[in-house]
PDB file of all heavy atoms in Angstrom:
ATOM      1  N   LEU D 120      99.426  97.531  97.925  1.00 96.00           N
ATOM      2  CA  LEU D 120      98.549  96.400  97.648  1.00 96.00           C
ATOM      3  C   LEU D 120      97.141  96.967  97.592  1.00 96.00           C
ATOM      4  O   LEU D 120      96.594  97.393  98.607  1.00 96.00           O
ATOM      5  CB  LEU D 120      98.669  95.337  98.749  1.00 96.00           C
ATOM      6  CG  LEU D 120      97.641  94.205  98.755  1.00 96.00           C
ATOM      7  CD1 LEU D 120      97.578  93.488  97.420  1.00 96.00           C
ATOM      8  CD2 LEU D 120      97.954  93.237  99.885  1.00 96.00           C
ATOM      9  N   ALA D 121      96.589  97.031  96.381  1.00 92.00           N
ATOM     10  CA  ALA D 121      95.226  97.554  96.202  1.00 92.00           C
ATOM     11  C   ALA D 121      94.284  96.365  96.016  1.00 92.00           C
ATOM     12  O   ALA D 121      93.875  95.758  96.992  1.00 92.00           O
ATOM     13  CB  ALA D 121      95.182  98.531  95.026  1.00 92.00           C
ATOM     14  N   THR D 122      93.999  95.988  94.789  1.00 89.00           N
ATOM     15  CA  THR D 122      93.098  94.851  94.557  1.00 89.00           C
ATOM     16  C   THR D 122      93.816  93.510  94.659  1.00 89.00           C
ATOM     17  O   THR D 122      93.177  92.482  94.810  1.00 89.00           O
ATOM     18  CB  THR D 122      92.431  94.948  93.177  1.00 89.00           C
ATOM     19  OG1 THR D 122      93.443  94.865  92.171  1.00 89.00           O
ATOM     20  CG2 THR D 122      91.625  96.233  93.051  1.00 89.00           C
ATOM     21  N   GLY D 123      95.129  93.527  94.552  1.00 93.00           N
ATOM     22  CA  GLY D 123      95.919  92.299  94.632  1.00 93.00           C
ATOM     23  C   GLY D 123      96.288  91.710  93.288  1.00 93.00           C
ATOM     24  O   GLY D 123      97.025  90.733  93.228  1.00 93.00           O
ATOM     25  N   GLY D 124      95.815  92.306  92.204  1.00 91.00           N
ATOM     26  CA  GLY D 124      96.088  91.766  90.877  1.00 91.00           C
ATOM     27  C   GLY D 124      97.567  91.715  90.525  1.00 91.00           C
ATOM     28  O   GLY D 124      98.043  90.739  89.948  1.00 91.00           O
ATOM     29  N   THR D 125      98.290  92.759  90.862  1.00 92.00           N
ATOM     30  CA  THR D 125      99.716  92.801  90.532  1.00 92.00           C
ATOM     31  C   THR D 125     100.488  91.770  91.339  1.00 92.00           C
ATOM     32  O   THR D 125     101.322  91.038  90.792  1.00 92.00           O
ATOM     33  CB  THR D 125     100.288  94.209  90.767  1.00 92.00           C
ATOM     34  OG1 THR D 125      99.546  95.156  89.984  1.00 92.00           O
ATOM     35  CG2 THR D 125     101.760  94.285  90.382  1.00 92.00           C
ATOM     36  N   PHE D 126     100.228  91.697  92.641  1.00 96.00           N
ATOM     37  CA  PHE D 126     100.916  90.700  93.466  1.00 96.00           C
ATOM     38  C   PHE D 126     100.582  89.281  93.001  1.00 96.00           C
ATOM     39  O   PHE D 126     101.454  88.418  92.939  1.00 96.00           O
ATOM     40  CB  PHE D 126     100.552  90.859  94.943  1.00 96.00           C
ATOM     41  CG  PHE D 126     101.530  91.653  95.755  1.00 96.00           C
ATOM     42  CD1 PHE D 126     101.093  92.341  96.870  1.00 96.00           C
ATOM     43  CD2 PHE D 126     102.881  91.691  95.458  1.00 96.00           C
ATOM     44  CE1 PHE D 126     101.982  93.062  97.657  1.00 96.00           C
ATOM     45  CE2 PHE D 126     103.785  92.409  96.223  1.00 96.00           C
ATOM     46  CZ  PHE D 126     103.330  93.099  97.332  1.00 96.00           C
ATOM     47  N   HIS D 127      99.321  89.042  92.686  1.00 95.00           N
ATOM     48  CA  HIS D 127      98.925  87.704  92.230  1.00 95.00           C
ATOM     49  C   HIS D 127      99.649  87.341  90.941  1.00 95.00           C
ATOM     50  O   HIS D 127     100.204  86.239  90.809  1.00 95.00           O
ATOM     51  CB  HIS D 127      97.406  87.618  92.049  1.00 95.00           C
ATOM     52  CG  HIS D 127      96.933  86.239  91.758  1.00 95.00           C
ATOM     53  ND1 HIS D 127      96.846  85.747  90.480  1.00 95.00           N
ATOM     54  CD2 HIS D 127      96.562  85.229  92.581  1.00 95.00           C
ATOM     55  CE1 HIS D 127      96.426  84.506  90.520  1.00 95.00           C
ATOM     56  NE2 HIS D 127      96.245  84.160  91.790  1.00 95.00           N
ATOM     57  N   ALA D 128      99.662  88.269  89.979  1.00 95.00           N
ATOM     58  CA  ALA D 128     100.340  88.015  88.707  1.00 95.00           C
ATOM     59  C   ALA D 128     101.839  87.808  88.920  1.00 95.00           C
ATOM     60  O   ALA D 128     102.439  86.903  88.322  1.00 95.00           O
ATOM     61  CB  ALA D 128     100.099  89.183  87.738  1.00 95.00           C
ATOM     62  N   ALA D 129     102.457  88.618  89.759  1.00 97.00           N
ATOM     63  CA  ALA D 129     103.892  88.495  90.022  1.00 97.00           C
ATOM     64  C   ALA D 129     104.211  87.158  90.695  1.00 97.00           C
ATOM     65  O   ALA D 129     105.224  86.518  90.368  1.00 97.00           O
ATOM     66  CB  ALA D 129     104.367  89.655  90.895  1.00 97.00           C
ATOM     67  N   ALA D 130     103.366  86.721  91.606  1.00 98.00           N
ATOM     68  CA  ALA D 130     103.586  85.449  92.295  1.00 98.00           C
ATOM     69  C   ALA D 130     103.447  84.276  91.329  1.00 98.00           C
ATOM     70  O   ALA D 130     104.268  83.343  91.343  1.00 98.00           O
ATOM     71  CB  ALA D 130     102.616  85.302  93.465  1.00 98.00           C
ATOM     72  N   GLU D 131     102.414  84.308  90.494  1.00 96.00           N
ATOM     73  CA  GLU D 131     102.231  83.245  89.506  1.00 96.00           C
ATOM     74  C   GLU D 131     103.422  83.210  88.545  1.00 96.00           C
ATOM     75  O   GLU D 131     103.944  82.140  88.225  1.00 96.00           O
ATOM     76  CB  GLU D 131     100.926  83.454  88.735  1.00 96.00           C
ATOM     77  CG  GLU D 131      99.680  83.223  89.546  1.00 96.00           C
ATOM     78  CD  GLU D 131      99.483  81.777  89.957  1.00 96.00           C
ATOM     79  OE1 GLU D 131      99.839  80.866  89.174  1.00 96.00           O
ATOM     80  OE2 GLU D 131      98.974  81.552  91.076  1.00 96.00           O
ATOM     81  N   LEU D 132     103.820  84.377  88.081  1.00 96.00           N
ATOM     82  CA  LEU D 132     104.944  84.496  87.160  1.00 96.00           C
ATOM     83  C   LEU D 132     106.229  83.969  87.796  1.00 96.00           C
ATOM     84  O   LEU D 132     106.941  83.149  87.200  1.00 96.00           O
ATOM     85  CB  LEU D 132     105.114  85.964  86.760  1.00 96.00           C
ATOM     86  CG  LEU D 132     106.335  86.334  85.932  1.00 96.00           C
ATOM     87  CD1 LEU D 132     106.262  85.673  84.563  1.00 96.00           C
ATOM     88  CD2 LEU D 132     106.417  87.854  85.795  1.00 96.00           C
ATOM     89  N   ALA D 133     106.549  84.430  88.996  1.00 97.00           N
ATOM     90  CA  ALA D 133     107.779  84.008  89.677  1.00 97.00           C
ATOM     91  C   ALA D 133     107.777  82.501  89.923  1.00 97.00           C
ATOM     92  O   ALA D 133     108.807  81.829  89.736  1.00 97.00           O
ATOM     93  CB  ALA D 133     107.933  84.773  90.986  1.00 97.00           C
ATOM     94  N   SER D 134     106.653  81.979  90.319  1.00 97.00           N
ATOM     95  CA  SER D 134     106.542  80.546  90.572  1.00 97.00           C
ATOM     96  C   SER D 134     106.790  79.746  89.289  1.00 97.00           C
ATOM     97  O   SER D 134     107.559  78.776  89.289  1.00 97.00           O
ATOM     98  CB  SER D 134     105.163  80.244  91.156  1.00 97.00           C
ATOM     99  OG  SER D 134     105.030  78.876  91.442  1.00 97.00           O
TER     100      SER D 134
END
Side-chain angles (χ1 to χ4, degrees):
L120 169 54
T122 64
T125 303
F126 263 152
H127 187 271
E131 290 293 325
L132 173 65
S134 181

